[in-house]
Amino acid sequence: MILEGNGQMFTSREPGCPEQPIQVYVQNPQQHETLELALKEDILRCEKWLEVVLEQEKQMRMLKSCHTVQEVFAKQKSIYPGLTYQRIPLTDCCAPKEEFFDQLLEAMKCSLGEDPSSAFIFNCSDGKDRTTTAMVIATLTLWHFNGFPDCVDDEIVSVPDAKYTKGEFEVVMQVVRLLPDGHRMKREVDMALDMVSETMTPMHYHLREIIICSYKQIKTAKSDAELQQLRLRSLQYLERYIYFILFNSYLHLEKKDSWRRPFSLWMHQVAARAGIYDFLNQLGFPEFEAPKCCPLARLRYRWRQYNAYLLPIRGELI
């Protein structure tokens, strides 16, 4: 949950685990905003000093003003009437749910239908992972509406292992060979990733390069738990990259029908028959290790690990 307090944005965390976001399970964004409104009222009512973390430094703050994201948007809309606001939850690190692609594409189609020159702004808690994921999806979508820039063969590569920083993992190339004009699908995704990465240069963050970076960190893990977390993270990043390529292929193939069939439905009716889920269900890095040795290669194990919730459960049982 996100609130603006004293002109800064904050997210709620457990005191004993400030690095882990609190997952809030809701059926729709409106429920999320209702919870944020209740949290805001609690904060203003308590009139106590609160511990906050800014730039990894703990501080005590008294929040004299507090607003929900919806209220922040309403204030901006009063200044810029043309603004619209969409809240589409996106899971950190791993591949977006297929329904997320549907929701973002539909929102962009509506905006571009009203104004072809519409601009889109994305944000998440740290402005890296989920923000850049949405930016890549939006970039591909905009290119399908407005035309693609000229392709260049050499992608931006800033770390060693050039083959892998270019995304040429064995499982990725298997998917590429399966898709119609697959190499072009991948090349366009890489171009979008490089373009978005240019905005992230101060953070040295690239959604393609981070796959191999995360995997190589496994060797430096200090515990089995850390090793499993890094292994899971690298597989999630790899899965996300594959989904970008699949989504771009969908945009090409379904463009003639104005994308009336949602991406989630296309995945089950078209991609599944081609065997895409078989690849996702035995995901790994066979160039480095045997996938069968890693249970996380299976979809259900990756899902189960990500949804293992270690924080205390709070609230009322109804």
Side-chain angles (χ1 to χ4, degrees):
M1 292 190 290
I2 305 172
L3 291 175
E4 183 262 358
N6 294 357
Q8 292 179 301
M9 303 304 293
F10 296 99
T11 60
S12 57
R13 303 293 171 100
E14 282 287 342
C17 195
E19 71 282 354
Q20 184 175 348
I22 297 176
Q23 297 183 36
V24 180
Y25 297 98
V26 294
Q27 293 181 330
N28 54 63
Q30 289 71 32
Q31 289 182 343
H32 213 142
E33 288 162 359
T34 299
L35 291 172
E36 286 178 342
L37 183 60
L39 177 60
K40 165 202 163 178
E41 292 172 350
D42 285 345
I43 290 174
L44 293 176
R45 191 184 304 118
C46 75
E47 296 183 347
K48 292 182 179 179
W49 291 90
L50 302 175
E51 183 179 275
V52 301
V53 179
L54 296 172
E55 301 294 335
Q56 299 183 339
E57 179 185 349
K58 291 184 179 180
Q59 302 179 15
M60 300 302 294
R61 293 286 182 90
M62 173 77 76
L63 298 186
K64 298 180 180 179
S65 68
C66 192
H67 302 92
T68 65
V69 176
Q70 182 66 50
E71 291 170 339
V72 172
F73 165 73
K75 182 178 179 181
Q76 293 299 314
K77 187 173 178 62
S78 66
I79 304 172
Y80 307 101
L83 283 178
T84 58
Y85 167 69
Q86 291 275 352
R87 187 163 190 167
I88 307 176
L90 174 59
T91 307
D92 204 9
C93 299
C94 58
K97 293 181 179 179
E98 292 164 7
E99 291 76 15
F100 173 83
F101 290 92
D102 297 338
Q103 293 171 344
L104 183 52
L105 176 58
E106 188 60 33
M108 293 187 66
K109 283 170 60 178
C110 292
S111 295
L112 292 169
E114 295 178 3
D115 181 3
S117 62
S118 294
F120 300 89
I121 301 172
F122 302 95
N123 75 285
C124 63
S125 60
D126 62 5
K128 290 198 304 183
D129 200 289
R130 288 168 291 176
T131 294
T132 47
T133 295
M135 288 172 65
V136 171
I137 296 171
T139 297
L140 291 169
T141 302
L142 284 171
W143 285 348
H144 279 274
F145 271 89
N146 302 328
F148 280 76
D150 294 332
C151 279
V152 292
D153 292 331
D154 295 325
E155 297 94 357
I156 297 172
V157 177
S158 61
V159 295
D161 298 314
K163 175 181 178 180
Y164 302 118
T165 58
K166 290 182 178 181
E168 295 175 1
F169 297 95
E170 188 171 318
V171 66
V172 172
M173 301 315 294
Q174 288 176 335
V175 172
V176 165
R177 288 190 288 270
L178 189 66
L179 296 172
D181 204 4
H183 288 279
R184 177 187 169 196
M185 301 300 105
K186 177 183 179 299
R187 188 164 60 249
E188 290 171 352
V189 167
D190 289 335
M191 189 164 53
L193 287 166
D194 292 338
M195 183 172 291
V196 170
S197 176
E198 291 176 1
T199 69
M200 307 299 294
T201 300
M203 299 181 183
H204 304 288
Y205 191 83
H206 194 299
L207 290 181
R208 185 182 62 238
E209 294 179 358
I210 202 169
I211 301 170
I212 187 63
C213 291
S214 298
Y215 183 83
K216 291 176 70 174
Q217 288 175 2
I218 292 175
K219 297 179 180 179
T220 64
K222 296 180 175 61
S223 66
D224 185 63
E226 184 182 358
L227 183 148
Q228 291 301 318
Q229 183 61 32
L230 288 169
R231 188 182 298 277
L232 173 64
R233 187 65 56 86
S234 61
L235 288 170
Q236 288 173 329
Y237 286 139
L238 180 64
E239 184 177 10
R240 179 174 58 186
Y241 182 46
I242 291 173
Y243 261 94
F244 286 153
I245 298 171
L246 291 170
F247 181 65
N248 190 37
S249 183
Y250 157 80
L251 291 174
H252 276 282
L253 296 174
E254 297 291 312
K255 187 174 183 177
K256 62 182 183 299
D257 295 323
S258 301
W259 306 292
R260 282 196 294 269
R261 174 164 48 183
F263 174 68
S264 56
L265 188 59
W266 179 85
M267 282 293 296
H268 288 276
Q269 292 182 345
V270 179
R273 293 180 181 179
I276 290 298
Y277 286 114
D278 293 333
F279 288 115
L280 295 175
N281 202 35
Q282 49 187 355
L283 195 65
F285 300 91
E287 50 270 270
F288 305 127
E289 61 183 12
K292 292 183 179 179
C293 298
C294 176
L296 292 173
R298 303 291 297 276
L299 276 166
R300 64 173 180 171
Y301 283 105
R302 292 198 299 278
W303 179 87
R304 183 186 299 171
Q305 282 294 320
Y306 187 82
N307 287 276
Y309 199 57
L310 303 178
L311 296 180
I313 303 298
R314 303 186 186 278
E316 297 179 359
L317 183 63
I318 57 174

